[in-house]
Amino acid sequence: MVSPEKTPDHSPSSPHYHASAPTQWWRIWWRSLPPTRQDRLAALAPLVSVAMFMAAIIAAFWYLRTEEVDRDRQALKRDVEYAQQRLRLRLLERQEQIMRIARDLSYGDIGTVEFGNRAEVLVTQYPELQALTWIDPSGRIITSQAAPTVPSEQLRMPSEQLSNDAAGESFKIVKETRQAIYTQPQVMAGYTPPMLQLQVPVSSGGNFGGTVLGEFSVDSLLRYAIPTELLASYAISMVDGQGRLIAGTPQSLQRKETTTWYGQITPHATTEYQSAIALVGNSLALKAQTYRTSHSMIGNGMFWLVATMSLLTAWLLTGTWRHTRKRLRAQDALIAETNFRRAMENSVLTGMRALDMHGRITYVNAAFCQMTGWSEEELVGQTPPYPYWPESDYEQLYVKLKDELRGKTVQGGFQVRVRRKNGSLFDARLYVSPLIDARGQQTGWMSSMTDITESKRIRDQLAASHDRFTIVLEALDASVSVAPLGSAELLFANKLYRQWFGSQTDGHLQLVQQAGLPAERSETVDDEDGLMGLPTDSLTTASSNNAEIYLADLGKWLEVRSRYLSWVDGRLAQMVIATDITQRRQAEEQAALQAERAQTSSRLITMGEMASSVAHELNQPLTAISNYSSGMLNRLENGSLTPEQMKFALEKTAHQAQRAGQIIHRIRTFVKRSEPNRTLCHVQDIIDEALELANIEMRRRNVRLTHHVAARIPTVMVDSILIEQVLINLIKNAGESIDQAQRPLSQRHVELRVLPKEVQGLQGVEFSVQDTGNGLPPEVLERLFEAFFTTKSEGMGMGLNLCRSIIESHDGRMSAENLYNGSEVVGCRFSFWIPLAAS
């Protein structure tokens, strides 16, 4: 429950009412407008905003311009007054120095030479002071010191009388007033820039003793008396009382002189101020003009930039408004088209579902929702597992979804089980196709789902009926085939017939022809079942139409019987039943062969027991040969050997030698030991041949066989068959060792490695086979390669001995060692080394 003090008051006297009333009125007014007018106002509002913004920018620029002009005027006035003070102070300093010289002349402390020296120092030290002249009381020049820059026509020579120019007039005034005065320079056409003159009186015992005339360069005064930053900021000049230019460069003249060929806008004065120089009176004034780079506010680049951007924005908004109107018309048409398509989608009975590229549901139609019982809001946006997936089929459906997202779709669709919202299940067939947008790019997958519950039930019933029919025939131990008369078509064949003869009619015709069965019907139609198309009699009952034949291709004796029947399509067909009687026929031969098999088994057992008697069997003929040879030697020594006796003894010796040779030939055939047939072989080829045979045995034992062959191994001169035999034997032994160790599947591993290796300065190739068995005990390692030594209950002890012999015949060597993990034996490694072929 909300407390009364926290409940907002919306009465007319409340401030909340006054604050929310305009907003509510605006919303009501806006919603009352039709959509077209809303769009028009929404498009015009930005134009009005841009116009108001442009007006505000113009007002801001005018205000800033006014403020800037006022600041420039105040700064100009302050700077000109400062420059005038600097110029006045510099003139006062020079005036003080000239008056000091005049005082010394009045006292007689210096003469002409000292005057010249001091004047030269001043002229050299201060560039604005161009000349110092000593004039006697009569106006005649006593001496003068000028700077090198003074033109020759302005030099004053000693003993020269002052003329009636400005210097002469000022001399008369000084003589009368006995005070120092400045003389305003006069501007005359065709002459060099005038100089500012200062005449200081010289007193001699209370009488007028002449003057000291100092002449100043106005340009140098401006250059050295005024700060550099002011000269750079303003156009500074000196004018007389009538405004005529005395020195400096005014703004109007500067514009003519600095205009460039590439059209650069030169500075021009817009604000000026002048101040009179107090020492000279109002006849000279210092004038300064400001530099500006634009004629007025309209020439400001920022203003034009803002104006251009505003006009561009207004133009773009106008274009956007027009484009919006077109889009609205297109949107209305699209809405109509969408409504039409939605009506079509809602009217179809096939469920439609759309997925994005990540498996998220983006769309389902009404039929899909009706099938599953889930609403569109509950399905759209879902990710696997989907709500309609049965929990027992999650794994299978995940696999199908992954195949679907990878593009592995089935043309005919696939069958799935779907769970409704109420928990019931139904069968459906799902068809998947790519979802392509208007730009031709795939954005997801479109699926259509059809309820096949009823059709599947009918199909299952038909399949069950067919299965009952075929199971009986497929389970028979007799071959059953049906073919129409006079045609090569095979109407039916059971499993045993297909195993024997395939799916062709050749086997059926061969049975009929070889058995010599009659080609005419011997039964009536009443003896047949018209529904099933099969005889009503027992299929295994023998009749007169039977024969026993032998098929060499199958290696079987068959009893063949036949019947004629009417097939389901009304055609007359012949059914042939062939029963395998090979066992019966072979049973008759079994008794005759039993005695021979018993004798063969006896010989095999005896042969196994004679393995230890081979040496004794060879010893008998060799002993006989030795005895006959010794007897003949004794009789030869005694001279009692007759030719007949010698012939008899030699025949016996030859017979015994032949007997021994036959025994040796059998052993030699079993284990033929000869020099290998060596050829240049590639190691990779040998490895491939050996692994092809060894992998069969390893797979049977569930042992993983891997190999590693170093790159660029040279060829070797070996008998490839023998090397393969060694590798297969070693790999087979490794697999047997792992079996005996009963290693788990993850530890059942045999590795074959082939690496180049140098032994005692000889380059060669080392082959190594490493297993994960129990290894070999130390007593076994000592006798491992001995003949007839084995650890297997059924072994002969010749495998490793033969392998070692093969490797040594190739000038190589073989070894074996256990592999350890700490103190635990984790396997065994057999390796052999073979030298490379000579270059």
Side-chain angles (χ1 to χ4, degrees), residues 83-99:
Q84 187 265 348
Q85 291 294 331
R86 289 286 301 271
L87 182 61
R88 179 172 172 275
L89 291 175
R90 197 169 183 95
L91 285 176
L92 285 175
E93 291 177 0
R94 304 293 87 75
Q95 178 181 344
E96 182 67 26
Q97 292 171 345
I98 295 174
M99 291 178 67

Side-chain angles (χ1 to χ4, degrees), residues 11 103-104 195 217 232 288 334 473 512 569 620 673 701 706 807:
S11 61
R103 185 172 58 251
D104 292 341
M195 297 185 184
S217 172
L334 180 61
L473 296 179
V512 173
D569 57 359
Q620 288 181 356
R673 183 163 184 167
R701 298 181 181 274
T706 61
I807 298 303

Side-chain angles (χ1 to χ4, degrees), residues 328-348:
L328 288 175
R329 290 193 293 268
Q331 182 178 352
D332 294 338
L334 180 61
I335 292 174
E337 181 70 17
T338 303
N339 292 334
F340 175 72
R341 290 181 178 272
R342 179 58 64 90
M344 291 179 58
E345 293 174 1
N346 293 334
S347 63
V348 297

Side-chain angles (χ1 to χ4, degrees), residues 278-295:
L279 293 176
V280 190
N282 294 328
S283 59
L284 284 180
L286 189 64
K287 182 179 180 181
Q289 297 171 303
T290 59
Y291 293 132
R292 299 297 294 177
T293 57
S294 60
H295 292 281

